[in-house]
Amino acid sequence: MDSAPKADLPRAAWPDGTTVPALGLGTWKMGEVSARAARETAALSLGIDLGMTLVDTAEMYGDGGAEEVVARAIAARRDRVFVVSKVYPHNAGRKSAVTACERSLRRLRTDRLDLYLLHWRGRIPLGETVDAFERLRAAGKILRWGVSNFDTADMRELCALPDGGHCATNQVLYHLGERGIEWELLPWMRGRRMPAMAYSPLGQGALLRMPRLAAIARQARTTPAQLALRWLLRCPDVIAIPESADPDHVRANRAAAGIPLDRSTIAELDAAFPPPSGRTPLAML
Ligand SMILES: NC(=O)c1ccc[n+]([C@@H]2O[C@H](COP(=O)([O-])OP(=O)(O)OC[C@H]3O[C@@H](n4cnc5c(N)ncnc54)[C@H](OP(=O)(O)O)[C@@H]3O)[C@@H](O)[C@H]2O)c1
């Protein structure tokens, strides 16, 4: 199968109007083993070269090691890349979030993050985190901020806080096998023109081994991974961030944007992976 990129990547817009490719690059398992760092850096560099210029990382990944891998991949072209990092909930206090962000900036060898996320909700009051994020924004150390793993009630609470409405996104688990957010959270975010970031868009690989997906992909003359990504790319306000350290997979993921997705394939996917029929608590890893 020819996996060279053929179509432009669709773009998603943040509430401030800035746009990014709707297909980015994840880094969760990167930076954990130094012997793998060169391969990981090369995979990220390739993805950036192919136009997947949004890179998602976190202080948690590899205890900062993933941010160091990202630093190598974005060196000399920082301005072309949209860098997302995340703060641990226990570091999300009024002062601790500022120092955690400064540590991330040092590891990433940059002077600002394009987006800074609260990784998940912890015990620190949300208002404190919002204050810290707003101070980081005023100082130019982050350009926008958001959250991750927030269910609709958490989002409502956040957005009711002073400056809480400045939240740019909510990064959540979303793929063919986990469609719960379509019931309430996604429509709620759409109502606020807030794009969603879909993490684990390949179900961490497990989705790709499902016989039903393999059968539909075969019929559509594509691969399970490309079909799973193309399905997410049908929504202009969902940013998928697959992770891969394999150059062939990176090329294939980029090429997913160019595969056709017709109504009958969507209908088959809906039958095999039904949308939610009621509210369920937000699934998370
Ligand atoms: N906010 C949060 O709480 C949260 C939680 C989880 C993840 N995330 C973010 O989302 C990113 C993506 O999620 P994820 O890493 O959990 O899982 P994922 O992207 O759904 O799956 C990654 C796995 O799929 C494989 N893969 C990638 N492309 C493939 C292809 N074309 N064909 C076959 N296999 C392929 C990768 O292996 P190879 O390396 O061999 O390609 C890897 O094992 C993370 O890296 C992280 O940045 C955020």
Side-chain angles (χ1 to χ4, degrees):
M1 181 175 317
D2 180 6
S3 60
K6 288 204 174 63
D8 282 346
L9 285 174
R11 295 186 74 83
W14 302 111
D16 63 16
T18 308
T19 67
V20 286
L23 191 60
L25 300 163
T27 65
W28 185 6
K29 297 288 159 56
M30 297 189 176
E32 291 179 356
V33 179
S34 56
R36 294 205 291 253
R39 187 167 186 261
E40 294 162 352
T41 306
L44 290 179
S45 295
L46 173 64
I48 293 167
D49 288 343
L50 294 174
M52 294 182 278
T53 54
L54 179 149
V55 181
D56 179 80
T57 190
E59 63 171 341
M60 181 182 107
Y61 302 162
D63 274 336
E67 292 180 322
E68 290 170 357
V69 170
V70 173
R72 289 193 279 276
I74 65 173
R77 51 177 170 176
R78 169 67 186 91
D79 292 348
R80 278 189 50 211
V81 182
F82 189 99
V83 179
V84 185
S85 195
K86 312 185 196 77
V87 60
Y88 268 125
H90 60 260
N91 283 343
R94 198 168 272 118
K95 285 194 180 142
S96 55
V98 174
T99 49
C101 180
E102 285 165 350
R103 284 195 298 271
S104 286
L105 291 174
R106 273 197 295 279
R107 284 188 293 260
L108 285 158
R109 285 186 252 135
T110 185
D111 58 353
R112 84 274 177 203
L113 296 173
D114 296 282
L115 177 64
Y116 199 33
L117 305 179
L118 172 60
H119 209 148
W120 63 90
R121 192 169 178 176
R123 294 208 195 107
I124 292 177
L126 281 180
E128 261 199 53
T129 306
V130 172
D131 277 0
F133 282 171
E134 285 293 320
R135 279 196 293 131
L136 284 165
R137 198 158 71 100
K141 292 181 178 174
I142 64 174
L143 301 189
R144 48 191 77 69
W145 61 263
V147 293
S148 177
N149 295 302
F150 269 42
D151 209 342
T152 318
D154 301 307
M155 290 306 289
R156 285 202 177 97
E157 191 181 326
L158 172 69
C159 289
L161 292 172
D163 294 326
H166 294 168
C167 176
T169 190
N170 182 15
Q171 185 180 117
V172 288
L173 179 64
Y174 185 41
H175 59 74
L176 268 170
E178 282 291 355
R179 298 183 60 173
I181 65 165
E182 291 174 28
W183 185 260
E184 186 182 39
L185 182 58
L186 199 53
W188 185 89
M189 290 174 63
R190 282 191 173 132
R192 302 187 71 104
R193 295 183 185 281
M194 197 188 279
M197 293 183 75
Y199 75 67
S200 306
L202 305 172
Q204 300 201 292
L207 177 69
L208 310 181
R209 293 187 288 276
M210 291 190 167
R212 288 168 304 169
L213 180 59
I216 301 170
R218 241 189 332 272
Q219 250 176 27
R221 295 169 186 272
T222 185
T223 65
Q226 288 185 313
L227 186 56
L229 293 177
R230 179 63 185 84
W231 177 81
L232 284 170
L233 290 171
R234 82 203 185 289
C235 307
D237 54 358
V238 172
I239 300 158
I241 47 170
E243 169 169 356
S244 179
D246 177 328
D248 290 338
H249 289 169
V250 173
R251 283 193 199 89
N253 293 348
R254 168 62 183 84
I259 66 164
L261 182 68
D262 57 30
R263 278 171 192 232
S264 68
T265 306
I266 292 179
E268 281 179 57
L269 289 171
D270 280 340
F273 302 94
S277 52
R279 217 199 96 69
T280 46
L282 178 67
M284 54 184 93
L285 293 182

